[in-house]
Amino acid sequence: MTTSTPLPAMPFEQTHLLRMAPLLRALQAKGSVHRVRTRAGDEAWLVTDYEEVRRLLNDDRLGMAHPDPDNAARASESALFGGRPPDNYETEHADRARFRRLLQPFFAPKRMRAFQPRVERMVTELLDGLAAGPVPADLHQALALPLPILVICELLGVPYEDRDRFRGWSQDAAALGDRQVSERGLAELWTYTRGLVERKRAQPADDVISGLCAAEDDALPVDEIAMLAAMILFAGHETTVVQIGYGAVLLLTNPDQHQAVLDDPALLPSAVEECLRVANVGAGNGMPRYPRMDIEVAGVTIPAGDLILLDIGAANHDAQVFADPHRLDITRNAGAHLSFGYGAHYCIGAPLARIELQAVFSRLIPRFPAMRLAVPIEELRLRDDLLTGGFREIPVTW
């Protein structure tokens, strides 16, 4: 792609923590597909329309791999996601199908429901600690961060005492602007999970890593199990940390919606879905995909191999699908949001994330009905240097 005029450069400036960046909103109002320049300095096609994003998420003509990965356009410098594409161009779809088949049983809704009471006890214990501690408190450190780590450690069979180490590696791997830091973090995380796999093979337990080691039908090599475990360890806690934080801030800054959940706990499931929808405002980063052939998107022909960014946050705020999209309305039917992806790329961990979010807010709201932010929302800070984003801290009082 060549152009004679400057392209909109990402990341777009987000002037309000809970709203789409003004430039992203303006682009969406103009059309469905936009040429932009990524964080890495490359050109890409940004898709902001809900129907197009949903369709392309489930289109096998697109993938995350590229036939020439060293020369492919990149969304960021992350070694984890959006940087250099993986090398499995020929086998990508088959690999994804096989990995999903292997992992699906461990995160099936029935299995997650059986785990729900344990998650609820974890939340209660963390809230006990919050209540006994000083006020104001940091809700990020007291609840949003430790809960997903506790949960994923127990599911995978990861020692909780290692949390500071793998959390640090995860954050390094998620770095958007420094490839060396990201590569080093990912390598450390993989080395750590490889050691776990070797121990689980020798001393299996009732956890996901042990289950993958015992998958006789596939006879997975150690390195492949370690890669899967590293991805689950990262995605299984980082994204939920962010969603708990955003959900809390959304409800605390919309007191009428907070009160509605307090008055009618039956609204909790729809409140969680609405928070998931609204929270994904982003700053125009998008899910990276590469078409395997020339494709047409909203009347625009995109050449094979070009970088396409599917902006889920913009899609979740498409006024053609969600009326008054920036308003938090826990009574709306927000279940069609794309925060967990769609189709073949739908997040395997979605049932677990929903259980965690419902466990948090079903207990936090009645336990601390007078909770509020301890600082103006403008003073909260986002992690815009990380792939997953999220708040650095959430000071609260009650």
Side-chain angles (χ1 to χ4, degrees):
M1 293 182 291
T2 59
T3 183
S4 57
T5 57
L7 297 177
M10 301 162 67
F12 305 138
E13 182 183 5
Q14 198 169 344
T15 55
H16 190 290
L17 298 180
L18 300 176
R19 291 184 177 269
M20 281 172 60
L23 178 54
L24 178 58
R25 192 163 59 244
L27 289 173
Q28 187 182 52
K30 290 181 180 179
S32 302
V33 186
H34 317 274
R35 295 173 71 183
V36 297
R37 190 167 300 281
T38 71
R39 290 173 180 262
D42 294 329
E43 294 186 28
W45 302 91
L46 181 69
V47 183
T48 58
D49 173 81
Y50 175 91
E51 295 296 342
E52 291 292 351
V53 169
R54 186 176 67 168
R55 179 178 68 83
L56 293 172
L57 281 170
N58 199 36
D59 191 331
D60 276 346
R61 295 176 301 168
L62 282 73
M64 296 175 64
H66 192 281
D68 185 10
D70 289 326
N71 294 303
R74 305 185 317 279
S76 72
E77 297 295 343
S78 171
L80 186 66
F81 191 74
R84 182 187 183 278
D87 293 314
N88 63 334
Y89 181 76
E90 298 297 334
T91 62
E92 177 184 10
H93 293 325
D95 290 345
R96 184 183 72 235
R98 183 165 64 96
F99 293 152
R100 289 183 71 89
R101 186 180 72 251
L102 284 166
L103 294 174
Q104 192 75 55
F106 299 107
F107 294 93
K110 183 177 180 180
R111 187 183 180 109
M112 292 298 96
R113 285 194 296 271
F115 190 56
Q116 184 172 350
R118 177 71 182 118
V119 176
E120 292 170 347
R121 288 194 295 273
M122 291 177 185
V123 173
T124 298
E125 291 168 5
L126 290 170
L127 293 182
D128 288 344
L130 178 63
V135 181
D138 181 0
L139 197 62
H140 174 73
Q141 289 292 336
L143 180 62
L145 177 61
L147 176 67
I149 293 177
L150 281 164
V151 167
I152 206 63
C153 281
E154 188 156 322
L155 282 174
L156 284 182
V158 175
Y160 184 63
E161 57 267 25
D162 291 347
R163 64 191 180 278
D164 289 339
R165 288 200 296 158
F166 73 70
R167 171 71 175 171
W169 297 328
S170 293
Q171 294 211 319
D172 285 348
L176 290 170
D178 192 321
R179 190 185 308 182
Q180 289 186 334
V181 169
S182 183
E183 289 175 346
R184 184 172 63 247
L186 188 57
E188 293 281 9
L189 193 61
W190 178 83
T191 300
Y192 172 74
T193 55
R194 197 181 195 284
L196 283 177
V197 170
E198 291 174 340
R199 293 203 297 273
K200 295 294 181 181
R201 281 192 157 181
Q203 296 178 306
D206 183 18
D207 55 57
V208 174
I209 295 178
S210 297
L212 289 171
C213 290
E216 297 178 359
D217 291 345
D218 290 86
L220 296 176
V222 169
D223 287 352
E224 198 162 276
I225 300 174
M227 182 272 291
L228 285 174
M231 293 301 100
I232 299 169
L233 186 57
F234 172 84
H237 86 272
E238 284 282 357
T239 54
T240 310
V241 168
V242 171
Q243 293 297 349
I244 291 173
Y246 263 112
V249 172
L250 281 165
L251 289 169
L252 293 176
T253 54
N254 288 273
D256 59 327
Q257 303 297 291
H258 183 276
Q259 187 63 43
V261 177
L262 186 62
D263 293 342
D264 184 3
L267 289 172
L268 185 68
S270 64
V272 166
E273 298 304 318
E274 176 69 345
C275 286
L276 284 166
R277 181 192 70 81
V278 176
N280 281 276
V281 286
N285 292 317
M287 303 285 285
R289 295 290 188 270
Y290 299 96
R292 292 170 171 253
M293 60 190 70
D294 294 357
I295 64 170
E296 185 173 303
V297 181
V300 177
T301 298
I302 299 179
D306 275 13
L307 174 61
I308 299 177
L309 300 174
L310 306 179
D311 197 313
I312 286 174
N316 281 343
H317 288 73
D318 188 337
Q320 299 300 313
V321 180
F322 304 102
D324 196 4
H326 295 286
R327 180 171 61 89
L328 184 74
D329 179 4
I330 65 172
T331 65
R332 89 162 80 224
N333 180 13
H337 67 75
L338 301 176
S339 299
F340 291 124
Y342 183 75
H345 290 273
Y346 190 78
C347 178
I348 288 175
L352 176 61
R354 287 189 167 102
I355 283 172
E356 292 184 63
L357 289 164
Q358 291 185 21
V360 164
F361 296 116
S362 66
R363 283 153 181 75
L364 177 67
I365 292 173
R367 181 84 177 264
F368 298 91
M371 181 175 282
R372 62 191 184 279
L373 290 180
V375 298
I377 188 172
E378 294 78 15
E379 293 185 17
L380 298 183
R381 297 178 300 154
L382 290 174
R383 294 300 308 264
D384 56 4
D385 57 329
L386 297 182
L387 178 66
T388 48
F391 292 99
R392 294 177 182 272
E393 61 280 314
I394 306 174
V396 294
T397 188
W398 55 90

